[in-house]
Amino acid sequence: MGASDVDPPRDCPLCPRLVAFHRGNRAAYPDFFNAPVPSFGPADGRLLIVGLAPGLRGANRTGRPFTGDYAGDLLYATLIAHGFARGTYDKRPDDGLELVDCRITNAVRCVPPENKPVGSEVSACRPFLLNTIAGMPNLQAILVLGSLAHGATLAALGLRKSACKFGHNAVHPLPDGRTLVSSYHCSRYNTNTGKLTTEMFHAVFGTVRALLDGPPATRS
Ligand code: URA
């Protein structure tokens, strides 16, 4: 794949179950995007965030990762707070929000039934994830949201899961000199159950910011 085919085509045929789901959703929701959701944000950013997959009425509707999804409310507010986005997040792809030094993608680009991609779908989408990573010349840190994105990213990088154990706010130096940071996914389930709090999510972005720019200066 060349740099121009980083994103899967609109009619990507690789996953029969997801193709069929799209077909049904195109009939049921003709105004939705209903196609593989492309990455969002500048390819020359130093940070890549890897999510799970588009939500049916969120990214699959709007065509922008996390946009309109419950998880996007926390993600975009946190990105703005940590200087990785500017503007206003208004749950619409034309809200003018800009990502700064950061790109967002998903381990699986198509909406899966019940938000659950199967292993073969994660594997089929891996070349696109790898291409996204390869297309970021300044990439220094990859933040994975949830254990599925963690596993998919390690596989794309040719690393074993045992090489980097998933944990919240866990930092893993990679053999290529970059750093992998893992976080609980900012899903409605995780925030409603208290598995992930807003503070815990901010702490992850504090870690990422310190990795990219060094720790904040202390006053003497
Ligand atoms: N929306 C996305 O685009 N990705 C996720 O992982 C969750 C919601």
Side-chain angles (χ1 to χ4, degrees), residues 70-171:
Y70 181 91
D73 293 349
L74 178 55
L75 177 61
Y76 285 116
T78 311
L79 287 173
I80 291 170
H82 289 264
F84 289 112
R86 66 174 156 247
T88 303
Y89 169 63
D90 195 21
K91 306 175 202 262
R92 296 178 286 113
D94 58 354
D95 56 13
L97 186 83
E98 272 179 74
L99 296 189
V100 180
D101 206 15
C102 152
R103 190 161 169 82
I104 305 177
T105 196
N106 278 307
V108 174
R109 301 296 190 91
C110 292
V111 57
E114 291 166 20
N115 280 334
K116 287 196 183 90
V118 299
S120 59
E121 293 159 356
V122 179
S123 304
C125 225
R126 190 183 301 149
F128 301 111
L129 178 56
L130 181 57
N131 229 1
T132 300
I133 294 169
M136 295 186 70
N138 303 324
L139 185 64
Q140 290 182 21
I142 304 177
L143 169 61
V144 292
L145 301 180
S147 63
L148 189 140
H150 181 81
T153 302
L154 289 176
L157 295 171
L159 299 171
R160 289 172 175 275
K161 255 191 167 179
S162 55
C164 308
K165 208 166 168 294
F166 176 80
H168 183 70
N169 209 359
V171 176

